């Protein structure tokens, strides 16, 4: 469904992405990990053309994204931000319904869709008329997910979507999104600094360093070790956590 061929991007002469080749089949949950400045968010934003590569092509279902009108491309791809980005002057229902409204969907269908999406992301229907400022951080992030799903996209991009939440809310929302991913048959691409989160969520993990893909595999295989020390350093944290939990449980 998503294909990047020889994608490169530089800012002021500094390479952020270097000759990236990546194919993501339909229905996969791919997580991008790597240190700060590795190129994760830049790669994510090339998929929906928020960033245009200097070289190479990005394709969705075999169609190059530069051949698609940007607004049409972005309305067909859900996007979830870390800071949610809800419109503060709009109610929850209006925030969720904004993209369907732009697509010309009638009010009755939008209302039905909002009701269904609130239920899907495990939020009470009574929140529909509240403003974002009246919600908790976890509730706002769930509204952000609902908004990303409002136009029934097949692809959802997520940039550190759970990073600002407390550990309990973060874990619950991550698990709930994984369930939604399977239930709706989505193709999901998520950026995170949390390698443990990546291991628990992903079908496949892509590791970036200095703008290059240095590892690409299933979580279990990458946990077993890798020839690149940068990859091993990233996956050492979840391995230490696992050992420590086993020690505590044994004690």
């Amino acid at each position: 469904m998503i294909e990047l061929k020889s994608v490169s991007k530089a800012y002021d002469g500094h390479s952020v992405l270097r000759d990236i080749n990546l194919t993501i089949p339909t229905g996969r949950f791919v997580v991008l990990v790597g240190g700060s400045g590795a190129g994760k968010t830049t790669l994510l934003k090339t998929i929906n053309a928020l960033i245009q590569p200097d070289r190479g092509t990005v394709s969705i279902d075999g169609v190059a994204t530069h051949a698609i009108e940007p607004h049409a491309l972005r309305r067909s791809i859900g996007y979830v931000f870390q800071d949610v980005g809800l419109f503060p002057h709009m109610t929850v229902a209006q925030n969720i319904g904004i993209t369907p409204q732009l697509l010309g969907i009638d009010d009755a269908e939008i209302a039905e869709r909002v009701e269904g999406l609130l239920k899907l992301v495990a939020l009470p229907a009574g929140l529909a008329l509240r403003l974002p400022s009246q919600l908790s951080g976890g509730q706002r992030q769930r509204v952000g997910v609902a908004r990303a799903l409002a136009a029934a996209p097949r692809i959802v991009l997520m940039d550190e979507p759970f990073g600002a939440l407390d550990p309990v809310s973060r874990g619950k929302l991550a698990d709930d999104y994984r369930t939604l991913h399977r239930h709706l048959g989505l193709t999901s691409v998520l950026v995170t600094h949390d390698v443990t989160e990546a291991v628990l969520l992903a079908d496949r993990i892509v590791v970036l360093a200095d703008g290059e893909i240095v590892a690409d595999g299933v979580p279990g295989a990458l946990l077993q070790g890798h020839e690149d020390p940068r990859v091993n350093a990233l996956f050492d944290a979840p391995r230490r956590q696992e050992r420590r939990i086993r020690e505590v449980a044994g004690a």
Side-chain angles (χ1 to χ4, degrees):
M1 175 167 284
I2 302 168
E3 186 173 24
L4 286 76
K5 290 184 178 179
S6 302
V7 168
S8 296
K9 181 68 180 179
Y11 294 107
D12 299 323
H14 173 69
S15 292
V16 181
L17 297 178
R18 308 169 190 262
D19 199 30
I20 296 291
N21 291 286
L22 178 65
T23 300
I24 301 174
T26 300
R28 296 295 174 84
F29 196 135
V30 173
V31 178
L32 309 178
V33 300
S36 296
K40 303 182 299 296
T41 295
T42 300
L43 191 160
L44 190 78
K45 288 182 176 180
T46 64
I47 296 173
N48 68 348
L50 282 172
I51 291 175
Q52 294 288 348
D54 298 327
R55 293 184 302 279
T57 58
V58 180
S59 300
I60 305 294
D61 275 344
V63 179
T65 55
H66 63 73
I68 307 171
E69 287 291 336
H71 69 276
L73 175 70
R74 291 168 197 152
R75 287 175 188 174
S76 69
I77 298 175
Y79 201 105
V80 184
F81 304 86
Q82 178 177 1
D83 59 2
V84 190
L86 299 179
F87 298 110
H89 61 288
M90 291 184 177
T91 65
V92 166
Q94 289 169 333
N95 267 283
I96 295 172
I98 185 66
T99 302
Q101 185 181 48
L102 291 171
L103 292 173
I105 296 172
D106 66 72
D107 291 346
E109 184 176 344
I110 290 174
E112 185 178 342
R113 193 171 295 192
V114 168
E115 182 181 355
L117 284 167
L118 286 174
K119 184 176 181 180
L120 200 62
V121 298
L123 286 175
L127 295 185
L129 298 181
R130 292 191 187 181
L131 294 172
S133 61
Q134 299 172 305
L135 306 178
S136 69
Q139 288 172 332
R140 286 194 296 272
Q141 198 59 275
R142 287 178 184 272
V143 174
V145 171
R147 183 177 63 180
L149 298 174
R154 294 182 299 146
I155 297 172
V156 175
L157 309 179
M158 311 180 82
D159 191 2
E160 293 279 356
F162 316 126
L165 302 178
D166 65 87
V168 174
S169 298
R170 179 175 185 154
K172 184 68 170 68
L173 182 52
D175 288 345
D176 286 351
Y177 180 78
R178 175 71 202 192
T179 300
L180 284 176
H181 165 86
R182 289 194 301 265
H183 176 69
L184 299 176
L186 299 170
T187 300
S188 300
V189 187
L190 179 146
V191 165
T192 183
H193 284 91
D194 188 333
V195 180
T196 300
E197 180 175 79
V199 168
L200 295 174
L201 287 177
D203 300 325
R204 176 177 156 205
I205 297 175
V206 175
V207 183
L208 287 99
D210 299 320
E212 298 178 318
I213 293 177
V214 294
D216 182 350
V218 297
L222 292 174
L223 281 169
Q224 295 302 312
H226 194 273
E227 60 187 17
D228 191 313
R230 295 170 295 182
V231 178
N232 275 329
L234 281 173
F235 283 85
D236 191 44
R239 286 194 290 260
R240 285 198 312 269
Q241 290 170 345
E242 181 191 15
R243 288 195 297 268
R244 181 56 182 155
I245 288 170
R246 289 182 183 274
E247 290 170 3
V248 170

